[in-house]
């Protein structure tokens, strides 16, 4: 806006500040809590200034974990979460890219039927089909494995749909030019479609990675071996420890560490994402 | 380099829509043939069938005496220039030119050499490292041409390559395409709806209408002796005037129409064959009122309503004719300038009148 309206600006900023504060405050509390000693929380008031136990809390969780409640070291759980999230993300991306490619560029019988089948599964989140899925995974002996953690979550109607919409905006002549230039379907996919989809892939990568990272119910169901606990599950284990008060300072240290990888992914991918928005191809 | 032979080429779409109704055409080695016709006449479909981008419903297509009906576009040894250029947006100009060669497994040094040769020929060398979006429309057009050139194919196919350019660039590129084709002597098939492009570019014109060929011939043949009323009105601007024979007889033909075939009932007259000054030879005379005078620089167009006819008539004259709007005057036509047609068949009734 070109107009100079000091009161308007002030009001706008006030609203924004309140909004940001609302979002930031819980994060702040978590960070502060992770620096306190074991006794601080039992007094009933929430400390708002950093305590002096940060290093000891973090290193304890990183190396040892909370063995009393069956939580392995955070490092291990972060790795588990990372493997699962990456497997889900890469799996979803490759499968949806290929299925969108098939639906948009190939004419085969029941093409529309397949498209609608994929589209309808949009309405079925993991939670709806969780019991049968569990049965299948159990029968396949995939409980307590990375395959069991990631494969059932890989099919993605959303990503397929988004790539389909994107591919349909690519002029058909591009495909024809590639055909005249001697590129077969797979080469066209690799040389033309993939490079053009980079920005879409980056955006979806962020969304899907966070989706994978935040998986809660599914890992909780199928893992009983602490070696396959994901970080989100680990936090849940710690808070529901039987016969004792939750160790809030340690849990909060875990929470902060759990929040870092998605933040890093966003920070890293954001550059690609913004680049894609400002430099439109075609 | 190769000849292209089309025999009974047909394209039928789902629902029995016949887009191309059996085309027979032979294109000689090194010839520049232009397919011209109104929108929806099947000219683009025909070109895409030759390219291999549309399947052929019936008939045979031979390139260099090899039946290519079921070959992929890449195996037909043709190169195509698309209307919207279809450049790969994420590749540099060099990458765009090199892509087809790379896919064919041409060696790196050979690719470099060919790309630089083509770029030099089209004067796009300074842009080789740029992405297509950093180029102007004319430069993109050149890159699209370059992509076809580097392949050194046996035939070029052009699908309205100039229609996205502004008028000035279009004329410039038209001349360049013509010169390039003269130099390379590569067989070319060129689709356009612009009759000026068609007349100036082609060694031969193929006028298409409704999926069939109306006429094949050199541009001058097509212009001077249109085979049907459709060709007569489609080629030439302003379009040819059509007058009933009966009307001309009423104006006192004095036997000047007697040499026409008996089934002639419509006469076509080019706008520049209706003259203001009377020639010395025997000629026909019509009278009309100038409704509108249109000065177009080097020439002028007179929109005339002829006496006793509701057919609007256009006359093309030199730059500044001595006429005013609303003036009623006589126009003179030489009998040799008449194009006789039969209304029912739409065909020219008699050969030998030019």
């Amino acid at each position: 806006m070109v107009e100079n309206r000091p009161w308007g600006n002030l009001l706008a900023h006030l609203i924004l500040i309140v909004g940001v504060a609302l979002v930031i405050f819980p994060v702040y509390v978590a960070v502060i809590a992770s620096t306190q000693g074991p006794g601080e929380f039992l007094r009933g008031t929430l400390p708002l200034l950093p305590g002096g136990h940060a290093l000891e809390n973090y290193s304890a969780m990183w190396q040892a974990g909370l063995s009393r409640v069956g939580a392995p070291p955070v490092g291990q759980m972060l790795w588990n979460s990372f493997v699962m999230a990456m497997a889900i993300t890469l799996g979803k991306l490759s499968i949806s890219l290929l299925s969108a490619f098939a639906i948009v560029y190939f004419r085969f019988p029941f093409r529309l039927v397949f498209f609608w089948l994929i589209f309808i599964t949009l309405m079925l989140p993991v939670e709806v089909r969780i019991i049968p899925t569990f049965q299948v995974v159990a029968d396949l002996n995939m409980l307590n494995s990375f395959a069991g953690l990631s494969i059932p979550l890989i099919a993605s109607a959303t990503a397929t749909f988004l790539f389909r919409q994107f591919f349909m905006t690519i002029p058909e002549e591009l495909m024809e030019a590639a055909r005249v230039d001697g590129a077969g379907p797979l080469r066209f996919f690799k040389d033309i479609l993939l490079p053009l989809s980079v920005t879409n892939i980056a955006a979806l990568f962020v969304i899907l990675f966070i989706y994978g990272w935040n998986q809660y119910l599914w890992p909780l169901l199928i893992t009983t071996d602490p070696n396959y606990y994901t970080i989100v599950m680990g936090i849940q284990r710690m808070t529901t420890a039987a016969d004792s008060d939750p160790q809030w300072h340690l849990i909060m240290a875990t929470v902060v560490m759990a929040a870092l990888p998605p933040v890093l992914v966003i920070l890293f991918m954001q550059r690609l994402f913004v680049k894609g928005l400002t430099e439109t191809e075609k | 380099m190769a000849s292209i032979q089309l025999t009974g080429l047909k394209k039928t779409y789902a629902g029995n829509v016949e887009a191309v109704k059996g085309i027979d055409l032979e294109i000689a080695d090194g010839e520049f043939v232009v397919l011209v016709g109104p929108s929806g006449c099947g000219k683009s479909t025909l070109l895409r069938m030759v390219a291999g981008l549309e399947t052929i419903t019936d008939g045979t297509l031979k390139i260099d005496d090899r039946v290519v009906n079921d070959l992929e576009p890449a195996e037909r040894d043709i190169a195509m220039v698309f209307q919207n250029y279809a450049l790969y947006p994420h590749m540099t100009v060099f990458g765009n030119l090199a892509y087809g060669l790379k896919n064919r497994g041409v060696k790196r040094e050979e690719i470099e050499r060919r790309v630089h040769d083509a770029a030099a020929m089209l004067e796009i060398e300074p842009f080789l490292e740029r992405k297509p979006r950093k180029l102007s429309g004319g430069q993109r057009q050149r890159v699209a041409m370059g992509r076809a050139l580097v392949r050194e194919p046996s035939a070029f196919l052009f699908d309205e390559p100039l229609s996205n350019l502004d008028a000035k660039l279009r004329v410039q590129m038209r001349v360049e395409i013509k010169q390039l084709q003269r130099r390379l002597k590569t067989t070319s098939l060129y689709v356009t709806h612009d009759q000026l492009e068609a007349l100036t570019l082609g060694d031969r014109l193929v006028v298409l209408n409704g999926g069939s060929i109306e006429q094949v011939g050199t541009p001058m043949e097509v212009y001077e002796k249109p085979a049907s009323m459709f060709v007569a009105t489609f080629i030439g601007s302003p379009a040819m005037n059509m007058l009933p024979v009966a009307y001309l007889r009423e104006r006192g033909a004095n036997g000047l129409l007697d040499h026409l075939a008996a089934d002639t009932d419509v006469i076509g007259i080019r706008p520049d064959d209706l003259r203001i000054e009377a020639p010395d030879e025997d000629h026909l005379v019509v009278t009309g009122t100038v409704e509108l005078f249109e000065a177009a620089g080097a020439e002028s167009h007179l929109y005339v309503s002829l006496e006793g006819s509701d057919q609007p008539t256009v006359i093309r004259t030199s730059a500044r004719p001595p006429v005013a709007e609303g003036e009623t005057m006589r126009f003179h036509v030489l009998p040799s300038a008449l194009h006789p047609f039969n209304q029912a068949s739409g065909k020219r009734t008699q050969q030998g009148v030019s």
Side-chain angles (χ1 to χ4, degrees), chain A residues 145-156:
Chain A
S145 72
F146 283 126
L149 277 172
S150 47
I151 288 174
L153 303 177
I154 275 179
S156 174

Side-chain angles (χ1 to χ4, degrees), chain B residues 222-235:
Chain B
V222 172
Y223 184 79
E224 284 171 356
K225 227 191 269 179
S228 66
M229 287 173 71
F230 173 81
V231 177
T233 47
F234 187 75
I235 300 287

Side-chain angles (χ1 to χ4, degrees), chain A residues 171-184 187-188 191-193 195-196 279-282, chain B residues 48 52-53 72-74 78-80 82 84 86-91 96 99-100 103-104 133 147 151:
Chain A
E172 206 169 325
E173 281 88 350
L174 226 49
M175 185 261 284
E176 292 172 346
R179 273 179 79 188
V180 174
D181 267 345
R187 196 174 268 171
F188 168 68
D191 289 347
I192 316 281
L193 272 190
L196 288 178
E279 273 182 42
T280 40
E281 306 265 8
K282 274 179 275 178
Chain B
R48 291 163 56 82
L53 298 170
E72 270 292 296
I78 45 95
M80 185 152 169
F82 291 86
N84 63 3
L87 301 177
Y88 311 123
H90 58 293
M91 295 185 191
N96 267 284
Y99 188 63
N103 286 340
R104 280 178 174 69
R133 66 168 174 276
R147 194 165 59 179
R151 292 258 317 279

